[in-house]
């Protein structure tokens, strides 16, 4: 989120009521610490008040330094967090690889799908409290172990993220933003473009093309020969079904 809120640290042996030579830092998990500004002792020996800086994160840990001596780092309470990221209503646009920007769309489901499975499309997301960390995770669906569904963030400000869609596939996938452990609600759904078969070959001979009748003759006992299918948006995994049982 933005900056400027009051940060109050309480403790012991902070020192007399002074301004200057007093500092406070805070961070979430192992992230680089944020350095608060305008720190001063407001209650002698017990309370320091500072201004927060722009950042993102939850479960923040705090430490202070007075006259060059650093305190221990302690966790804040449940409220020790920046505001959670929020995607604005209609705040997602598709910027195709050719640079043309379509009208905002969200959610995308079923027949209205628009993302190519080979990736490379650019999405522009607007909202609030995104932070500015380029390592912010924008995911389409869920892939916590591999990160394969994560967009490649190319630009980020507190209210706008631009990222490239990865090679991925699926229907009704939630897009989420994880800003320092704070995650959007997943109410925006995306679907990748369904697969389209353009042609089929069996034993090297073309058997069908888009819009043509299917004349494939395969033994009911199976065959060691391959059926080769060409088309678009097949993704990286899937299943071929012969017949109408799908």
């Amino acid at each position: 989120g933005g900056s400027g809120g009051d940060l109050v640290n309480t403790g012991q042996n902070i020192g007399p009521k002074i301004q200057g030579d007093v500092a406070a830092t805070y961070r979430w998990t192992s992230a680089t610490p944020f350095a608060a500004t305008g720190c001063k002792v407001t209650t002698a020996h017990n309370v320091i008040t500072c201004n927060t800086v722009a950042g993102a994160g939850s479960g923040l840990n705090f430490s202070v330094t007075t006259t060059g001596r650093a305190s221990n780092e302690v966790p804040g309470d449940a409220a020790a967090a920046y505001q959670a990221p929020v995607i604005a209503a209609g705040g997602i646009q598709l910027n195709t690889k050719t640079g043309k920007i379509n009208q905002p769309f969200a959610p995308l489901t079923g027949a209205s799908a628009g993302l190519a499975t080979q990736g490379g499309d650019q999405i522009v997301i607007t909202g609030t409290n995104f932070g500015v960390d380029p390592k912010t995770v924008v995911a389409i669906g869920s892939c916590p172990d591999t990160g394969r569904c994560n967009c490649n963030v190319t630009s980020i400000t507190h209210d706008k993220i631009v990222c490239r869609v990865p090679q991925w596939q699926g229907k009704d996938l939630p897009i989420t933003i994880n800003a320092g452990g704070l995650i959007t609600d997943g109410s925006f759904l995306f679907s990748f473009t369904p697969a389209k078969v353009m042609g089929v070959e069996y034993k090297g001979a073309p058997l069908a093309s888009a819009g043509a009748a299917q004349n494939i003759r395969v033994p009911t006992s199976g065959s060691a020969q391959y059926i080769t299918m060409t088309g678009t948006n097949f993704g990286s995994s899937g299943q071929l079904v012969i017949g109408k049982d799908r």
Side-chain angles (χ1 to χ4, degrees):
S3 60
D6 287 337
L7 172 64
V8 178
N9 289 282
T10 59
Q12 298 176 333
N13 302 311
I14 290 175
K17 197 171 183 179
I18 59 173
Q19 182 172 358
D21 205 17
V22 179
T25 61
Y26 56 100
R27 63 179 177 174
W28 63 278
T29 61
S30 60
T32 301
F34 300 111
T37 61
C39 294
K40 58 185 177 181
V41 178
T42 51
T43 300
H45 309 291
N46 295 109
V47 179
I48 293 176
T49 302
C50 307
N51 295 319
T52 60
V53 295
S58 61
L60 301 172
N61 297 323
F62 299 84
S63 63
V64 298
T65 301
T66 58
T67 60
R69 302 184 66 181
S71 73
N72 57 318
E73 187 175 74
V74 297
D77 59 23
Y82 282 93
Q83 294 181 358
V86 176
I87 299 174
I92 301 181
Q93 291 180 307
L94 173 64
N95 183 4
T96 67
K97 288 175 286 187
T98 60
K100 179 180 178 181
I101 298 180
N102 297 328
Q103 293 298 313
F105 62 95
L108 281 182
T109 59
S112 64
L115 299 177
T117 61
Q118 67 265 32
D121 287 334
Q122 189 180 71
I123 54 175
V124 180
I125 308 171
T126 56
T128 56
N129 299 308
F130 294 161
V132 294
D133 186 353
K135 296 181 181 179
T136 295
V137 175
V138 179
I140 301 176
S142 178
C143 56
D145 296 329
T146 66
R148 290 181 58 197
C149 66
N150 295 347
C151 286
N152 177 25
V153 175
T154 57
S155 173
I156 180 171
T157 63
H158 294 291
D159 56 9
K160 181 179 179 180
I161 292 176
V162 180
C163 65
R164 289 285 180 186
V165 175
Q167 294 184 17
W168 200 235
Q169 62 195 50
K171 178 182 178 183
D172 296 343
L173 304 174
I175 184 168
T176 55
I177 299 173
N178 185 332
L182 298 168
I183 305 173
T184 53
D185 61 13
S187 60
F188 289 84
L189 303 180
F190 280 75
S191 294
F192 285 82
T193 303
K196 182 177 181 180
V197 177
M198 304 297 290
V200 182
E201 290 186 355
Y202 178 61
K203 294 185 177 180
L207 298 171
S209 59
Q214 303 293 308
N215 294 309
I216 301 175
R217 296 290 185 266
V218 179
T220 58
S221 59
S223 171
Q225 299 294 329
Y226 287 105
I227 291 178
T228 302
M229 307 181 73
T230 57
T232 59
N233 293 299
F234 289 167
S236 58
S237 63
Q239 183 179 14
L240 169 63
V241 177
I242 300 176
K244 297 181 179 180
D245 184 15
R246 54 184 177 184

